[in-house]
Amino acid sequence: MFARLEQLFGTVTDIEGNYSLQVKKDAKLLFSFVGFINQTVNVEGRSTINVTLKEDSKTLEEVVVIGYGSQRKESVTGSVASVKGDVMRDVPSSNISQALQGRVAGVDMSQTSSKPGASMQIRVRGTRSLNASNDPLIVLDGLPFAGSISDISPSDIKSIDILKDASATAIYGSRGANGVILITSNKGSKGDKAKVSYNSYYGLKEVFGKYPMMNASEFKKLRTDANKYTIGVDESEDVDIDWQDLYYRTAQVTSHDLAISGGTEKSSYNFGAGYYKDQAVLPGQDYTRYSVRGSLDQEIGKYFRFGFTTNNNFAINNGSNLGIYGNISTSPISNPYNEDGTLKRTVKMPLDENWVYTRKTIENLDDQWIDQTKAFGSYNTIYGEVKVPGVEGLKYRANLGLNYRQSNGGNYTGQGVFNSTATTPSTASISNSLTTNWAIENLVTYDRTFAQKHQVNVVAMYSAEQTRYNSSQISAKNIPADAFQFYNLGRAQGEITVNPDYQGYQVSGLMSWMGRAMYSYDNRYMISATFRSDGSSRLAKGHQWHTYPALSVGWNIKNESFMKDVKMIDALKLRVGYGETSNQSVDPYKTLGLLATRPYNFGTTTATGLYVSELPNPKLGWEFSKTWNYGLDFAFLGNRLTGTIEYYVQNTDNVLLSVSLPPTAGVGSYMANIGKTQNKGFELSLNGVILDNLNGWTWEAGVNLYSNKNKLVELASGADRDESNWWFVNHSINCIYDYQKIGLWQDGDANLQKYVPGGNVGMIKVKYTGDYNADGTPTRQIGPADRQIIEVDPDFQGGFNTRVAYKDFDLSVVGAFKSGGVLISTLYGSSGYLNMLTGRRGNVKVDYWTPENTNAKYPKPGGSMDGDNPKFGSTLGYFDASYLKVRTITLGYNFKQRWVKNAGIDKLRLYCTIQNPFVLFSPYNKESGMDPETNSYGNENAAVTSYNKRLLTIGTNTPSTRNYLIGLNLTF
């Protein structure tokens, strides 16, 4: 900041903004700084004058990355959302998907696992494909990223830009069909002296909410009410064991990141290293990541520039096969201790015998158990750029990406470990995978401004890439000694298995041509046109190429002359875009069909034969989408309130779908382009400055809200339903097909035996959809025809954040919310075998029906059964998915005292953070006390198949945690 007098003398502030100046009592001070609006202040006899300058939007225009280039935010015509790295790091996390949750309208981050190191399911504007991938493209420093998003440390990130609509993503072609997440890593700055930064935090983790299991008294009453089972061998009426307390530990999480950056007159550099370790509350389960990164940008003379970026990481994942089911399914009256106080190996209940899962039993296994995966990834970009002499604004750039990822997994379980039978043979397995990828891009860019009003940017590109993947797995039984673990399966004394279904080899390639032109006139009228053509090796000959356009326009209404006098409005821009994208994300060789093997007997010998398991499709082509996007960007009240409103409609055709064939075909299925889907929705983002340095107080807040509705428009051969996959025309792609619980049967209810022959009062009552006789009785009993289509998706969802600062202190809160929809919990539904209501084993604590408690939610214990579960028991797992969750609360202090400056420190900040402190307005949390976020797929942690595997559920994975962190940010 620079303060000067009208008499043309002045002074310069120090690094903290302090200054001193001798002036007359009636003088005027002019405060100025590059990029900020000048401010004149009357001295009026004061000895202390503090001023906060406001940014000049005309000189400090925000730049966003849009794919193969950048653009002033004011000129962007597509749907692009940006998040700065510093903002994202408000949520300390292992990967960026966790840090972004609830931050961006239209981008849903759903938890698929609560184990350390797990990535989230990312959906940009919903689900559109049935069998093809719905995952967005990740682009790191300009090139498509070949690794896992968990390979990228949040500490390495400068900014994230998310391309959401087709007019923005079309430049990435088929790779961007599901949205694009552009990640820009930290770089050095030219001319800066070397700067060292160190960021670290350490924390403790505790269980957010225990699995709500019955205690001894509750369980004994349940067993009495069910009247089905008596005391087991290891059970006792005077025992009350909290199995979760015996199992959980206080876990730790820590992160350290060290970097050095700087530059010279013609170069910049950034090098760094990181260490991250996250323990689960389950003993033996943790995730560790080591990362090394670097970047260099060097100019040579007037025309040449080259450089590289490299991101490398080595990750170790231990104990991923551990869960909580074996622990919580043990009855609370089972005694795990011998008379001498030692732990038993197993406990016996009436019908079940469970291995004893405790901290001690896991920690004492030593060489008897290991489950470990080690992965190394190296992602590298080399680039060179040359400016064409004599043609201002014209340059050529070549990008070469060389990527490598290797994963080596090993598992060993000793004899009888985790098993009720002590003589169960030891087992071991190894799995390996290797992915190599190269990509080359050739870009020609022309960027000029004519007559200070005509801005032109043209990009042309040719690119090619190839990915090679191979994997293998071997398993064996009866390992000679625990010390062998999985390191020498050839010594196994039992069966050694090489399952052909677990061996893989794939090579696929993509070739592309692209052109984009952007034009802006007088910063009022903007237009962007993109044309791209992709060729994929995954599709059939004659159908491998697809060409599609994209067009978007923008109008900066605020910059029109008739808006000059409207002082309240600082920015107002209207955007409209149309674009087409494609999707070829099916496994390679789907055009060729598949063969499988089967053994055959020939007398006393055997032979292996081949048969067709999936038909070839010589016409397999692209799945493509057409999208309209409408947006309005605005800023009011001196940029104190800014925001965006958007509405979009996306129609997807030629949907890639595995078509089931009748048994008479002799083949199960084939992949084809059959079906249509539609996505549409709205998004609202608001950011406001409520207090702007008012007596030292600053208060900022932001909220985003969005709703996405998808539906299946068409299926194969004009069918309106595919019940085996839970797909129904004119309904959401994600839906449940099951009975609808409408209450419990009560004493006096008519026709119970006609609806459910053999049924009992207190059992689950579901909706009947059949006809009725003249006397009001049903014409049939309740059966599969009464299953309902139940929509899973929420009505709307979003996130919020707020930051309050007073002088050098600041307090920030980040959260997320969801309204409506259906949450599936396998704890309560029949698939988890934890709510059988018979007293056979540990049971979830529920309010069940008895003659004295007829207004209960759950059925009568020991009543009508379907196998081991209450009849229609799958309906017990459905909850209202609404919640408001505070994800982090952070209190920080920025040291700005003189001693900090004298020590050569540019920044010193201490903070403490609570993660997942509490949840509000959640029916599931209110009943269970647990985190309402999902942590499993529908085919995980299930004893029986009740829910479709693609749906996310709450299962018996590692429990969610509440974390307490203390952190340090240091730059010098």
Side-chain angles (χ1 to χ4, degrees), residues 300-489:
I300 301 177
K302 294 174 60 178
Y303 301 109
F304 295 96
R305 175 173 166 239
F306 74 93
F308 72 86
T309 62
T310 179
N311 284 269
N312 308 274
N313 67 82
F314 177 65
I316 304 172
N317 205 321
N318 289 309
S320 62
N321 65 351
L322 286 176
I324 191 67
Y325 180 80
N327 176 274
I328 60 177
S329 64
T330 307
S331 72
I333 61 173
S334 298
N335 189 353
Y337 297 103
N338 295 306
E339 290 185 1
D340 61 0
T342 60
L343 285 166
K344 299 175 182 177
R345 198 187 72 85
T346 65
V347 291
K348 295 179 180 179
M349 297 173 284
L351 294 184
D352 304 288
E353 184 177 0
N354 282 4
W355 196 82
V356 174
Y357 284 87
T358 70
R359 288 189 302 276
K360 287 186 178 180
T361 54
I362 297 294
E363 291 168 353
N364 292 337
L365 286 175
D366 294 323
D367 287 345
Q368 289 183 281
W369 169 75
I370 186 173
D371 176 46
Q372 186 177 83
T373 300
K374 297 180 178 180
F376 172 74
S378 181
Y379 311 102
N380 309 280
T381 302
I382 304 170
Y383 53 91
E385 186 177 283
V386 58
K387 296 178 181 178
V388 178
V391 184
E392 183 182 349
L394 182 64
K395 61 184 179 182
Y396 165 78
R397 179 182 173 111
N399 297 322
L400 174 64
L402 301 171
N403 305 300
Y404 178 95
R405 178 178 170 84
Q406 178 178 327
S407 176
N408 303 101
N411 180 289
Y412 172 71
T413 304
Q415 181 175 324
V417 174
F418 303 147
N419 201 285
S420 60
T421 304
T423 57
T424 299
S426 60
T427 60
S429 66
I430 56 174
S431 59
N432 303 288
S433 68
L434 174 63
T435 302
T436 57
N437 167 270
W438 61 260
I440 186 167
E441 297 176 337
N442 298 274
L443 296 112
V444 177
T445 303
Y446 181 69
D447 191 357
R448 281 287 303 276
T449 299
F450 299 95
Q452 298 183 341
K453 288 190 175 183
H454 304 273
Q455 296 176 332
V456 177
N457 180 281
V458 179
V459 179
M461 184 197 72
Y462 164 75
S463 69
E465 68 171 273
Q466 185 183 84
T467 301
R468 185 183 300 267
Y469 168 82
N470 66 274
S471 63
S472 61
Q473 187 193 69
I474 301 175
S475 61
K477 293 182 178 180
N478 283 321
I479 308 303
D482 290 333
F484 277 76
Q485 294 191 330
F486 57 79
Y487 295 107
N488 190 347
L489 300 190

Side-chain angles (χ1 to χ4, degrees), residues 660-850:
S660 300
L661 296 173
T664 53
V667 181
S669 64
Y670 72 101
M671 185 65 68
N673 296 101
I674 298 174
K676 296 180 181 180
T677 64
Q678 183 186 77
N679 266 271
K680 59 183 179 180
F682 79 90
E683 300 165 359
L684 171 65
S685 298
L686 292 173
N687 291 283
V689 179
I690 303 168
L691 298 178
D692 188 7
N693 196 25
L694 179 64
N695 297 322
W697 288 93
T698 299
W699 182 10
E700 303 167 345
V703 64
N704 70 81
L705 182 148
Y706 62 96
S707 175
N708 174 270
K709 299 298 181 183
N710 70 70
K711 68 177 180 179
L712 187 56
V713 177
E714 184 179 295
L715 275 170
S717 303
D720 63 355
R721 57 178 51 208
D722 180 347
E723 293 185 2
S724 62
N725 286 305
W726 291 9
W727 285 326
F728 303 91
V729 171
N730 292 323
H731 291 275
S732 172
I733 296 171
N734 295 321
C735 67
I736 296 168
Y737 187 53
D738 200 356
Y739 298 97
Q740 181 179 344
K741 177 176 176 285
I742 58 175
L744 301 177
W745 284 99
Q746 302 294 343
D747 191 23
D749 286 352
N751 301 314
L752 167 59
Q753 295 303 317
K754 293 185 180 295
Y755 283 112
V756 190
N760 61 271
V761 171
M763 71 174 293
I764 298 170
K765 185 177 186 179
V766 299
K767 186 176 181 179
Y768 171 72
T769 61
D771 296 325
Y772 294 89
N773 297 310
D775 61 357
T777 59
T779 57
R780 58 171 175 80
Q781 68 184 58
I782 292 175
D786 296 298
R787 288 176 293 174
Q788 307 290 306
I789 301 170
I790 304 170
E791 305 288 348
V792 172
D793 298 329
D795 299 323
F796 63 86
Q797 58 188 317
F800 61 92
N801 60 87
T802 186
R803 178 181 178 273
V804 178
Y806 176 69
K807 295 185 178 180
D808 298 329
F809 288 93
D810 59 79
L811 176 69
S812 62
V813 179
V814 179
F817 58 85
K818 181 182 291 187
S819 177
V822 175
L823 174 66
I824 302 172
S825 173
T826 60
L827 278 66
Y828 291 87
S830 57
S831 67
Y833 268 49
L834 294 172
N835 195 20
M836 295 186 287
L837 290 171
T838 58
R840 173 178 165 179
R841 61 174 80 167
N843 205 99
V844 177
K845 181 179 179 179
V846 294
D847 178 29
Y848 58 80
W849 190 98
T850 64

Side-chain angles (χ1 to χ4, degrees), residues 549-563:
L551 180 70
S552 58
V553 295
W555 179 23
N556 267 326
I557 304 172
K558 172 58 181 175
N559 292 343
E560 295 288 353
S561 58
F562 60 80
M563 293 291 290

Side-chain angles (χ1 to χ4, degrees), residues 131-146:
N131 287 140
S133 172
N134 284 287
D135 296 331
L137 170 67
I138 309 297
V139 176
L140 178 63
D141 291 326
L143 274 180
F145 186 60

Side-chain angles (χ1 to χ4, degrees), residues 115-183:
K115 297 176 181 178
S119 296
M120 288 188 165
Q121 175 184 276
I122 306 175
R123 293 291 180 263
V124 178
R125 292 186 165 178
T127 300
R128 57 195 57 81
S129 297
L130 301 183
N131 287 140
S133 172
N134 284 287
D135 296 331
L137 170 67
I138 309 297
V139 176
L140 178 63
D141 291 326
L143 274 180
F145 186 60
S148 165
I149 198 169
S150 60
D151 291 338
I152 304 173
S153 170
S155 298
D156 300 344
I157 296 171
K158 178 182 178 181
S159 65
I160 293 177
D161 298 272
I162 302 177
L163 312 183
K164 296 188 287 186
D165 75 321
S167 67
T169 65
I171 195 168
Y172 284 103
S174 60
R175 299 290 300 272
N178 301 309
V180 181
I181 299 178
L182 303 173
I183 301 172

Side-chain angles (χ1 to χ4, degrees), residues 235 259 495 592:
E235 293 182 326
E495 179 184 8
L592 305 178

